[in-house]
Structures are given as C-alpha cells and as structure tokens.
Amino acid sequence: MHQALEEERPRLLALPENAFGCDVVRTLHSGKTPYVRFDGNDYSIPHTLVTKPLTLVASDSLVRLLDGTREVARHTRCWDKGKTLECEEHLAALAAHKRHAHELRGRDRLRQSCPSADAFIAALASRNAHLAGHTSRLLKLLDSHGPEALEAALSTALSRGAIGAESVAHLLEHSRRQQHLPPVLSVSLPDDPRVRSARVQPHSLSDYDALLRKDSP
C-alpha cells in the first residue's frame, strides 16, 4: 500500500498555498444582555454593542465577533453546552457603566428633591471632589432627614463655602439639636433593590389617637 502511494504521488495535485477557509461565518445580535449565543453557549461582547448586528467567525478553536471589520471579542471555542464564556474587559466595562448610571440617577434624585443640590454638586466638581462618595452620603441624609431639612443644610453650606457631605451632615445634626429632636438612627436594609428603592408615604396618626380617647373611661 505504501509503495503504491509513493508511485502515485508524482501524479497527485499539490495542496493549495492557502488553506481552504472552513470557519463558520454568521450574522447575529445579542438580546438585552451583552452576550451572543452560538452552538448552545453564550459568549460575552462589549455592552455598547448590545442588540447591534455582529459578524461571528468560528473556527474549531476560536470564536471571534466582528463589528464591521473590527474585532470586538475573541473567545476560545467551547464544545460543551450551556456554558458562558466571558472576557474580563467586558465585565469590567459593564460594571463601570452600571456604577456611573447609578451615580447619575442618584444626582438626579438629589436635584429633583433639593433646589440647591445642583449648585452644591457643581461646587463639589469644581473642587475635584469624589462625587460618588458625596452623592451616596447626601442620598442617605435625604432619606433620613427629608428634602426640606437637606435643602436648608445645602443652602447654608453653600453660603459658608463648606462644600462637602460631612459639612451638610453636621449642619443637619446641629439643627436637630437646636430643635431638641432625637438623633436620627440609621436603619440597615437588605441589598434587595425592591426594598431599598421603596418610598413609603407617611400618614397622620391622629385617627389612632381618636380611637384611644374613645376607648378610655
């Protein structure tokens, strides 16, 4: 058999200089999450390309995603099923995006609740302060003291040039002491966003007082 092959070899056609392309090429897009599904597995993509059509090029060892001619993701191909293949850069960029969006929502809530919040945030930015930290503290003060008290403290802090969440907290506590009010106690809540984002409208307790008076001898 080997001898016959050697005799026929001179008559065989030579292999092409360039290997024949056998990669799988498909146009697909993700759903609402930054992953595309191929062959039963999910591969991460940059969050900025969610729902945008991409070109998938898959060899027996590699899965690449292209935005036009630009490669935006590269993964080792997985031959299992139901696996999720992720790139650390994609996850880090998505986490940073979510943090930024959360911070913007927090600042918008402050601006909607307190007229002086916009000027206060601008003053923080002009001092290159860490906006995320100050915003988080101011939101906690808004929840614990209410919009009216926080607005008064923000306005006073601006007039004094005391630009910082700690200064606002000090002004709020000083105001409560002057009014002989008890200190505000922090409440630990679970991380469930349904609990943390809930807003409860307080109601008057005068009806209960009337019932107590009615029941008393």
Side-chain angles (χ1 to χ4, degrees):
M1 189 72 177
H2 178 72
Q3 183 179 357
L5 176 60
E6 291 301 323
E7 291 176 357
E8 291 292 330
R9 190 180 297 278
R11 302 182 183 90
L12 297 177
L13 295 176
L15 292 174
E17 294 182 2
N18 299 315
F20 179 76
C22 57
D23 290 351
V24 176
V25 179
R26 294 181 184 175
T27 299
L28 42 72
H29 60 272
S30 67
K32 296 181 179 180
T33 58
Y35 297 89
V36 294
R37 172 153 291 193
F38 170 65
D39 200 21
N41 297 303
D42 293 321
Y43 295 86
S44 70
I45 61 173
H47 70 276
T48 53
L49 299 176
V50 168
T51 72
K52 183 175 181 179
L54 300 174
T55 301
L56 178 141
V57 181
S59 68
D60 60 348
S61 61
L62 195 65
V63 173
R64 299 186 300 132
L65 281 305
L66 307 178
D67 179 17
T69 59
R70 180 173 63 96
E71 182 178 293
V72 295
R74 175 183 289 251
H75 299 276
T76 299
R77 184 169 181 174
C78 178
W79 292 96
D80 290 335
K81 299 293 183 182
K83 301 295 184 180
T84 300
L85 291 301
E86 297 173 323
C87 173
E88 291 296 332
E89 292 181 1
H90 298 163
L91 297 180
L94 178 61
H97 171 73
K98 288 185 175 181
R99 285 195 300 270
H100 182 64
H102 179 72
E103 291 171 12
L104 291 179
R105 287 195 297 270
R107 294 175 207 171
D108 287 342
R109 185 181 163 217
L110 285 173
R111 293 185 178 101
Q112 292 172 2
S113 302
C114 304
S116 298
D118 196 24
F120 194 85
I121 292 172
L124 285 170
S126 68
R127 289 164 168 76
N128 294 320
H130 186 245
L131 292 181
H134 286 281
T135 300
S136 177
R137 181 67 191 279
L138 290 174
L139 287 171
K140 292 178 181 178
L141 294 175
L142 175 61
D143 290 334
S144 60
H145 291 79
E148 293 183 4
L150 181 60
E151 166 59 22
L154 288 172
S155 178
T156 301
L158 279 170
S159 66
R160 297 179 180 179
I163 309 303
E166 293 297 333
S167 299
V168 175
H170 173 75
L171 289 170
L172 286 168
E173 290 304 318
H174 179 69
S175 175
R176 291 186 68 84
R177 286 196 299 269
Q178 285 188 325
Q179 300 175 61
H180 303 289
L181 296 174
V184 176
L185 300 178
S186 60
V187 178
S188 298
L189 296 176
D191 292 332
D192 190 333
R194 294 172 299 178
V195 177
R196 289 186 172 274
S197 62
R199 296 290 176 267
V200 179
Q201 178 65 39
H203 297 282
S204 174
L205 301 179
S206 58
D207 292 340
Y208 293 99
D209 294 335
L211 289 173
L212 290 174
R213 289 194 296 270
K214 183 178 179 180
D215 292 339
S216 60

